[in-house]
Amino acid sequence: MSDIPKTYAPHGAEAKWYSAWDSRGYFKPRGDGRPYVITIPPPNVTGSLHIGHALGYTIHDALIRWKRMQGYDTLCVPGTDHAGIATQNVVEKELRKEGLSRHDLGRERFIERVGTWVDEYGGMILRQLRRLGCSFDWSRTRFTMDDGYVKAVMECFVKWWEEGLIYRGKRVINWCPRCLTAISDIEVEHVDRVGKLYHLRYPFKDGSGLIVVATTRPESMLGDTAVAVNPQDERYTEHVGKIIILPLVGREIPLVADDYAKPEFGSGAVKVTPAHDANDFEIGLRHNLPQVIVIDERGTMNADAGAAYAGLDRFEARERVLADLQSRGLVERIEDYTVPTALCDRCKTVIEPLLSEQWFVRMKELAQPAIDVVKSDRVRFIPERYARIYYDWMENIRDWTISRQLWFGHRIPVWTTDDGEYIVARSEEEARAKAGDRPITQDEDVLDTWFSSAHWPQAVLGWPDRTADLDRYYPTSVLITAREILYLWVARMIMTGMHFMNEIPFSDVYIYPTVLNEEGKRMSKSLGTGLDPLDLIDHYGADALRFALLVRTAKGQDFRFASVTNGRQRQVEEARNFANKVWNASRFVLMNLGDNSAEHKPEWVESEALADRWILSRLNETIDEVNRAMDDYRMNDAAQTLYHFFWDDFCDWYIELSKSSVASREATEEVRAARNRIIYILETSLRLLHPLMPFLTEEIWQRLPHRGESIMLARYPEADLARVDNEAASQMQTVIALITRVRNIRSELNIPASSRLRLYAAPTDAAAERLVRQNESQIKRLARVEEIVIVGQLPTLDSAARGLVAGFEIAVPLEGLIDIAKEQERISKEITRRENEAKGLASRLDNHSFLERAPHDVVEQARDRHQELIAEMEKLTATLRSFS
RNA sequence: GGGCGGUUAGCUCAGCGGUAGAGCAUCGGUCUUACAAACCGGGGGUCACUGGUUCGAUUCCAGUACCGCCCACCA
């Protein structure tokens, strides 16, 4: 039977089974039974697999495989997101290598170029997911810009426009001077930077002195159109209404009273720049102030900034303005200050708040139904705490800037007629029809990427058409995602689902942990993870990577994942070792199938033998716990339960205990029954493990006799709790304790494994005696004992090691082998250990309050244990005395 | 500024009112014919700190420190 290699070789198995599964159509839904549906978070087309993806999609696959084996009609829809800004950036970078910019190509050719790039290099990540083993329905793969998807996006825009939820507005938005587009509030990253706070002097026109204002951005003063003070601020009451001459510019601006000004900050007076600050914009509206744009979309000062500054970069302008003010004595002081700074979360460029005309979505009324479904538990967050974070955002929701000044994306379906009317339509034809004879031009901008992904669950199933998929598979079962897109994506999907489907998009939202590096910081591509999932798969196999991740995926608790050092990643290595353990246990079973391996009689599983009753009991407890854990998204518990059952219970005890019969040369009925039992346990374990380790389990399963087409089509085990046998468990515990005690004596007294011992055992009752007699051969084998002598009382022996086990006193005669001093030391240690425990118990039992207030069973338990310890100590002390 | 998580053996993490667990690492011993990526045995923790509640706290409450994350229009 040497045709089975000693170690599991993942690569052959992975390639072979993945294509077999895929070509046989196993990843597609069956079409009958209860649906269980997941639409994956679509990764960016430009993306490649990083460790966070590997975790997220492994969870997807484990759950979908588990449900599929349980008989659900499972569907997991994959796809990619066009990721407007990110993708455009990548292609522009390509062009730059050729010395071109997108403007050299023009819009149309640039879009073509992006298309080519996406076809050629995009979606690589989906191919990488196959390496992980993901059983997604590739025939339903979607892209947020495929034809059907465009239809969904247009439908939404038109509907929202008709319902008055979309509007065009001029206001201060977040502008990225590098990406040259507006971005929404949640695409802005806030950081604190060391900087300065500048206190500037603004003179009153009437010569009655000056007023001091504080700012972190002196260059913006060129666009000031007022200074504001708090109406309650008595220091300024007499000055309100006065005219100020704006330094360097000479513009006359008023001193207005507005609540926004906080008297306790700086001088209490704040300069107002309505075109370059969202708050100032609001103040401007309240006081009817002019809006002067002085910084253009590239972050360069424009003509309105004045001839001295026009053309300067905003940061250069800052220095120049400052120098000019200083030379005029208009800088009161400069202090160190931590400046809250807004960055573009894509490119980390400092955001320029800019007055600009954009398209917005009114969010308040969309948010309400989406809040309600979470409040009423129709949508459940796992872990629950995210519901509160969701409410905080949803209840203070602000309008959504959806237009982007990019070329790649969904072009905004708004056309303007020559007389200035907006025509909103699903297509150009429709727009032309609506416009009649008037010439129309389409809006140049595209939609925020998240505007399209907001429809993902329904759109990938066919919406806005009423398709069979949509009927059958919507709403979906669970959304599994990373924490950072809770607002950006999850919240918006719930809103669109409620709005267009009048139904929740999914009932569970599982936010999985973030993978951290050794320092406890989140792994991100920009920081460099030092970890490539594909390298890990190449090195250790996909199952090992999957298991290594799942075994630490507690419900919502981030975990650290080491990087590769000296070519090794110890956590994945551990999991690989487990895979190898499964492989070798299976190898043992397969090597002992015997000639009649095809035979299988269900009654052979039944057995009176302790080990058999015990392993069946443990197996069913395991099945029960694994199913519960999976159902509760406790992937770590499922993985650990299986690890422990398989390695400790099955390999270390059951296989060892069954070896003599399973590996026997004579194929008696009894032996064949034993072989069938062990196959049964192994086969069930493989099915249990399959969602976590699909390739390994299939590779082994296929070698088992008569198992059918694929483990993927096998039924997931269901616990039979009638099989849980507490008596067998406690008896087995005693047998294990007895064997361990003997091994321990052997090890501590340095007795070679080769020397066969005689064991005297004095059971305390008839049950204990029966236990030893019935399991004698196995105890002898595992404890490496030649003979077990059962006695009523231990004989006096000249030199022997003694020990206590629940239900027994034992002695091992060791003529010539024993080191008396060592044995004394060993016994003393046993006594001390018990003394310490007894001391603690005694002090509690002496405490009146404890006796009065603690529950009776706790007191009783303490009393019993105390008695037991005292009895054991007496025996041990007697043993110790016998040496002298 | 507000909020949320974390702090348990050398490392990665469970546990969360009755006196601490796992895996790995470490130490000692094994080629015991499935597996040395293994087997057998051992050692190792004042459960971050300070108070409080309780007969009893790692576990509950309050506060402190440190680490991490999210949100925020104080110029």
Side-chain angles (χ1 to χ4, degrees):
Chain A
M1 283 288 170
S2 52
D3 60 325
I4 306 170
K6 272 189 158 189
T7 50
Y8 169 55
H11 299 114
E14 288 171 10
K16 178 175 62 180
W17 293 117
Y18 197 85
S19 64
W21 294 331
D22 197 10
S23 64
R24 293 182 201 161
Y26 294 166
F27 302 158
K28 295 181 184 173
R30 268 188 285 266
D32 58 0
R34 265 179 72 190
Y36 181 84
V37 186
I38 310 178
T39 60
I40 75 165
N44 291 357
V45 258
T46 56
S48 70
L49 195 70
H50 64 68
I51 199 76
H53 288 127
L55 171 62
Y57 295 119
T58 295
I59 294 169
H60 278 78
D61 191 54
L63 287 171
I64 212 87
R65 283 178 185 272
W66 173 60
K67 287 287 181 184
R68 187 183 292 119
M69 288 176 77
Q70 284 189 325
Y72 284 82
D73 184 24
T74 49
L75 169 61
C76 188
V77 183
T80 45
D81 192 296
H82 68 281
I85 302 186
T87 308
Q88 177 161 329
N89 283 347
V90 169
V91 177
E92 285 192 83
K93 210 163 151 192
E94 292 270 302
L95 284 176
R96 226 170 295 139
K97 283 187 211 153
E98 301 162 26
L100 296 169
S101 80
R102 68 180 151 121
H103 300 282
D104 295 326
L105 295 189
R107 183 165 189 150
E108 207 167 313
R109 280 180 55 213
F110 179 73
I111 296 296
E112 268 170 38
R113 179 75 188 243
V114 174
T116 312
W117 190 92
V118 167
D119 290 343
E120 204 167 334
Y121 303 104
M124 173 177 68
I125 189 165
L126 295 186
R127 267 167 270 140
Q128 295 173 328
L129 290 182
R130 293 168 208 242
R131 291 287 316 277
L132 251 192
C134 292
S135 58
F136 303 164
D137 184 356
W138 305 109
S139 72
R140 283 176 166 83
T141 302
R142 295 299 299 271
F143 175 52
T144 54
M145 279 189 75
D146 63 38
D147 292 346
Y149 210 103
V150 171
K151 207 170 151 188
V153 173
M154 294 301 118
E155 179 68 20
C156 169
F157 193 99
V158 172
K159 281 265 172 61
W160 278 355
W161 167 262
E162 287 167 355
E163 292 164 23
L165 291 171
I166 286 183
Y167 63 92
R168 182 121 175 116
K170 192 173 183 187
R171 60 176 69 171
V172 171
I173 45 79
N174 303 297
W175 183 270
C176 175
R178 202 214 62 86
C179 300
L180 296 178
T181 179
I183 58 176
S184 69
D185 295 334
I186 38 180
E187 290 167 285
V188 173
E189 185 180 320
H190 297 273
V191 295
D192 284 337
R193 291 207 166 154
V194 286
K196 307 278 185 196
L197 185 62
Y198 305 90
H199 298 261
L200 311 179
R201 295 172 174 151
Y202 284 9
F204 289 119
K205 185 184 178 189
D206 62 8
S208 61
L210 43 82
I211 188 161
V212 175
V213 297
T215 180
T216 54
R217 312 188 45 200
E219 73 281 11
S220 71
M221 62 87 62
L222 300 172
D224 285 0
T225 56
V227 171
V229 293
N230 194 284
Q232 312 297 320
D233 196 335
E234 289 171 6
R235 290 173 293 179
Y236 299 110
T237 316
E238 56 170 314
H239 299 298
V240 171
K242 280 187 179 172
I243 298 299
I244 293 160
I245 303 291
L246 186 62
L248 308 184
V249 180
R251 182 159 55 235
E252 299 191 356
I253 61 176
L255 180 66
V256 301
D258 193 284
D259 283 334
Y260 173 77
K262 303 285 173 263
E264 63 280 6
F265 189 93
S267 64
V270 57
K271 58 192 259 331
V272 181
T273 323
H276 293 286
D277 182 286
N279 292 303
D280 293 4
F281 174 76
E282 299 292 332
I283 299 173
L285 292 183
R286 288 196 285 272
H287 300 275
N288 222 349
L289 301 172
Q291 300 156 337
V292 180
I293 297 176
V294 291
I295 304 172
D296 71 12
E297 60 274 10
R298 293 186 177 273
T300 306
M301 308 311 289
N302 67 11
D304 287 338
Y309 310 102
L312 289 180
D313 172 79
R314 52 188 167 154
F315 298 110
E316 292 167 6
R318 176 173 303 175
E319 300 309 316
R320 185 75 66 84
V321 165
L322 209 59
D324 291 347
L325 287 170
Q326 246 156 352
S327 68
R328 289 167 168 77
L330 294 175
V331 177
E332 171 112 348
R333 66 196 157 94
I334 300 174
E335 56 187 341
D336 290 334
Y337 191 69
T338 306
V339 182
T341 308
L343 304 179
C344 170
D345 75 0
R346 276 255 145 249
C347 69
K348 313 299 174 197
T349 300
V350 176
I351 290 299
E352 186 56 49
L354 191 64
L355 182 65
S356 150
E357 255 199 298
Q358 301 289 341
W359 292 97
F360 295 90
V361 178
R362 262 182 248 289
M363 299 304 282
K364 266 237 141 39
E365 52 184 289
L366 286 169
Q368 196 52 52
I371 292 170
D372 295 341
V373 290
V374 177
K375 286 241 154 94
S376 63
D377 266 349
R378 294 186 55 214
V379 175
R380 189 171 67 115
F381 281 91
I382 297 110
E384 282 175 37
R385 73 181 116 96
Y386 289 109
R388 236 178 33 248
I389 295 170
Y390 174 82
Y391 295 139
D392 283 348
W393 190 69
M394 292 289 273
E395 283 164 1
N396 298 299
I397 200 157
R398 289 190 286 165
D399 287 356
W400 177 11
T401 315
I402 52 170
S403 40
R404 296 289 179 275
Q405 287 64 46
L406 302 171
W407 286 355
F408 182 55
H410 293 273
R411 185 100 176 244
I412 291 178
V414 177
W415 286 260
T416 313
T417 62
D418 55 349
D419 49 359
E421 188 193 338
Y422 288 133
I423 302 218
V424 177
R426 288 168 182 77
S427 66
E428 185 157 357
E429 297 79 70
E430 198 183 310
R432 287 204 185 286
K434 283 186 179 174
D437 307 333
R438 295 173 293 175
I440 53 172
T441 47
Q442 186 172 6
D443 194 296
E444 292 292 319
D445 294 346
V446 301
L447 290 163
D448 180 7
T449 281
W450 299 102
F451 187 92
S452 59
S453 47
H455 304 90
W456 188 250
Q458 60 269 23
V460 299
L461 294 172
W463 186 83
D465 294 333
R466 185 156 176 210
T467 59
D469 269 7
L470 193 62
D471 270 351
R472 179 157 179 79
Y473 299 118
Y474 190 93
T476 70
S477 309
V478 55
L479 181 87
I480 303 164
T481 188
R483 187 189 306 150
E484 69 260 23
I485 50 181
L486 183 63
Y487 306 138
L488 234 31
W489 190 48
V490 180
R492 286 161 179 172
M493 281 190 289
I494 301 177
M495 292 190 253
T496 65
M498 291 310 294
H499 193 80
F500 292 109
M501 302 298 293
N502 197 25
E503 177 58 282
I504 55 170
F506 28 72
S507 38
D508 285 4
V509 177
Y510 173 47
I511 311 275
Y512 60 76
T514 304
V515 182
L516 309 173
N517 64 16
E518 285 104 324
E519 281 85 52
K521 300 208 173 110
R522 59 165 297 156
M523 283 204 182
S524 76
K525 238 195 311 190
S526 52
L527 292 173
T529 60
L531 262 192
D532 178 352
L534 294 166
D535 280 353
L536 292 170
I537 291 173
D538 285 340
H539 210 93
Y540 298 107
D543 291 321
L545 175 61
R546 290 168 63 115
F547 197 87
L549 291 169
L550 292 175
V551 79
R552 28 207 118 228
T553 303
K555 207 170 172 176
Q557 190 55 56
D558 296 350
F559 62 85
R560 295 175 196 217
F561 213 62
S563 53
V564 177
T565 45
N566 301 326
R568 298 171 62 182
Q569 207 287 352
R570 54 178 216 281
Q571 291 157 308
V572 184
E573 197 170 297
E574 273 172 37
R576 187 274 315 265
N577 291 356
F578 177 58
N580 199 232
K581 188 70 184 177
V582 174
W583 177 257
N584 274 295
S586 307
R587 188 162 165 262
F588 169 77
V589 172
L590 290 164
M591 283 168 78
N592 290 294
L593 284 180
D595 300 331
N596 54 347
S597 56
E599 246 183 304
H600 176 72
K601 296 183 188 170
E603 66 268 24
W604 277 348
V605 171
E606 301 303 324
S607 165
E608 290 301 306
L610 175 61
D612 296 329
R613 282 162 55 213
W614 167 76
I615 196 71
L616 275 176
S617 174
R618 285 292 305 122
L619 176 65
N620 281 285
E621 283 176 338
T622 302
I623 295 170
D624 187 47
E625 172 54 15
V626 170
N627 278 317
R628 283 168 190 280
M630 296 286 283
D631 194 48
D632 200 25
Y633 303 102
R634 290 179 286 120
M635 313 308 289
N636 61 330
D637 285 339
Q640 268 174 48
T641 299
L642 283 165
Y643 185 100
H644 174 249
F645 170 76
F646 198 90
W647 201 313
D648 301 344
D649 296 336
F650 182 61
C651 293
D652 289 349
W653 290 102
Y654 189 72
I655 289 185
E656 294 305 327
L657 288 165
S658 328
K659 238 173 199 171
S660 59
S661 51
V662 169
S664 165
R665 287 178 182 279
E666 302 154 50
T668 61
E669 175 88 358
E670 202 184 316
V671 167
R672 285 186 294 166
R675 287 176 181 163
N676 262 272
R677 278 194 294 272
I678 207 164
I679 291 172
Y680 171 78
I681 305 292
L682 173 66
E683 194 270 338
T684 309
S685 305
L686 293 175
R687 279 183 285 138
L688 282 170
L689 279 165
H690 181 260
L692 314 183
M693 311 183 96
F695 296 112
L696 169 74
T697 50
E698 180 77 295
E699 177 69 15
I700 299 167
W701 200 82
Q702 293 288 343
R703 296 172 188 239
L704 292 176
H706 288 271
R707 291 303 168 195
E709 216 174 293
S710 165
I711 194 170
M712 278 188 69
L713 305 182
R715 193 80 184 181
Y716 204 73
E718 281 167 43
D720 176 2
L721 294 177
R723 288 274 184 198
V724 175
D725 183 339
N726 292 323
E727 190 192 52
S730 94
Q731 290 181 347
M732 190 65 198
Q733 206 182 351
T734 303
V735 170
I736 288 174
L738 187 63
I739 293 168
T740 303
R741 210 84 207 92
V742 177
R743 284 172 171 173
N744 167 279
I745 287 171
R746 188 191 290 277
S747 177
E748 298 216 342
L749 298 179
N750 293 327
I751 299 161
S754 52
S755 70
R756 298 283 149 170
L757 304 172
R758 182 185 303 155
L759 170 66
Y760 286 89
T764 53
D765 58 30
E769 180 174 346
R770 218 175 310 125
L771 194 61
V772 183
R773 289 200 191 284
Q774 283 171 350
N775 297 283
E776 190 177 343
S777 70
Q778 288 152 326
I779 295 169
K780 273 156 70 175
R781 189 185 146 82
L782 298 200
R784 313 193 122 251
V785 163
E786 192 172 41
E787 188 191 359
I788 301 179
V789 183
I790 299 172
V791 292
Q793 206 175 358
L794 290 182
T796 318
L797 298 161
D798 278 350
S799 69
R802 289 163 189 262
L804 291 171
V805 188
F808 298 92
E809 272 184 84
I810 61 167
V812 181
L814 295 166
E815 300 87 20
L817 290 169
I818 195 162
D819 178 336
I820 303 276
K822 254 191 182 158
E823 172 65 359
Q824 282 176 316
E825 189 191 315
R826 202 179 62 82
I827 304 269
S828 302
K829 217 166 62 187
E830 293 281 311
I831 295 174
T832 311
R833 198 178 289 163
R834 285 170 174 78
E835 267 171 3
N836 289 337
E837 197 186 336
K839 226 185 287 170
L841 285 167
S843 78
R844 272 159 75 190
L845 290 166
D846 278 348
N847 184 337
H848 289 293
S849 305
F850 175 71
L851 297 176
E852 280 162 30
R853 309 213 183 186
H856 285 301
D857 58 323
V858 172
V859 176
E860 280 311 302
Q861 220 176 305
R863 230 172 231 148
D864 291 350
R865 180 69 187 144
H866 190 60
Q867 291 295 314
E868 195 182 331
L869 287 168
I870 287 178
E872 288 179 356
M873 284 192 293
E874 275 170 12
K875 283 181 187 165
L876 289 165
T877 308
T879 305
L880 199 57
R881 232 178 270 128
S882 71
F883 284 108
S884 44

